[in-house]
Amino acid sequence: MDYGDPTPEDSFSRCPKCRAAVSYSEPSDRRSEEELRRAIRRCTEAAGKGFAIGAGLKGGLALFSILARLKSRRTSGSLTRKVGSLSNSEAIVIAVKETLRYGLFLGVFAGTFASVDELIATIGGRKRTAGWRSMLAGAIAGPSMLLTGPKTQHASLAIYIFMRAAVLAARCGIKSKRLGKICKPLTWKHGDTFLMCLSSSQILSAYILKQDSLPSSYKSFLNKHGGKDLVILQGIKDIASGMPFTNLLEVEKYYKSVGVDIKLDPNMKIVHGNQSCTGHVLSFLFQAYGRALPVYVPVYLIPALIVHRQGLLKRPYTILGKSLLGTARSSLFLSAYCASAWLVFISLWSFQL
């Protein structure tokens, strides 16, 4: 009697030796088809979500930037634009291009990563390649950054991604038996605060002393949230460099333009005009909080609408509540960061005088 492979009609077969019933297993070709569909679905979803996140974040930030641009022009009441500045239509065209570029970048990056990961797992085995295939897939997907503009360098974006990779590598190192001792300082209670202090010293020194070393977009960000006119920054640079004041008259003109009539001399505090040190820091904190809110509203709101869109329908109050809390906390951080920087500068200057 034949005890070979079961026919499609059989639900089970019998062992040739003990005649025990053996359950009929699903054909391998059917499993292969399901695995292929799963891999294709994963790659497609990764590319789609990547494009949606990239285009949504960049487009949302661009939208808020354009709205702020229109509001500032209406507030100033100036219908003429400065020489070399972009018109509203040109700014919109550039925003649309940047939105599509960043959408394509993240879409291609995520899709390439998932595709290479699945390909390596299929050829070399999912378990055998688990330790290194993600690294290779990420390296192959990396050149997709060229989609953001082949003639434009994105050093800030590359450094940010590198730092995120370093954080992930450090977390893996902490759990590793070989590298655990080397990465132990990263587990210190206030190690992150110490690292923040080191970073701040470099950022703020470049902001005051060497603005030409900063990228134009980051310099604009610091100048906006630093809350000081370039004339005042030049005076502070002279103080920090031990040079005599050369622009006292320009500082006085600036204060007159904002409604503060004051006569300065080299021993007076040019940072806060006729305000006291404490009063200036407090007023700066509230003003900085108002400047920070428009920055973080799209950062938290857009991901809530795009990434958590399904959960937003089920738990709208929870997700929106977390977004509002994150916006408030991040805005407070940025405003307190800037206010404390000026507080330290004013305190050190007062101590020196």
Side-chain angles (χ1 to χ4, degrees), residues 74-94:
R74 289 180 180 178
T75 304
S76 62
S78 175
L79 299 177
T80 60
R81 60 189 179 99
K82 297 179 181 180
V83 178
S85 63
L86 297 175
S87 64
N88 292 334
S89 59
E90 291 173 339
I92 292 174
V93 171
I94 292 177

Side-chain angles (χ1 to χ4, degrees), residues 13 93 101 150 152 167 174 177 182 248 257 267 291 302 311 344:
S13 61
V93 171
R101 285 176 177 175
T152 305
V167 170
I174 292 173
K177 294 182 179 180
I182 299 176
L248 277 180
S257 67
N267 293 323
R291 288 191 294 266
I302 294 173
V344 172

Side-chain angles (χ1 to χ4, degrees), residues 37-52:
R37 285 197 296 267
R38 183 202 60 80
I40 294 175
R41 184 171 60 252
R42 179 198 172 194
C43 298
T44 304
E45 289 179 355
K49 288 181 179 180
F51 180 84

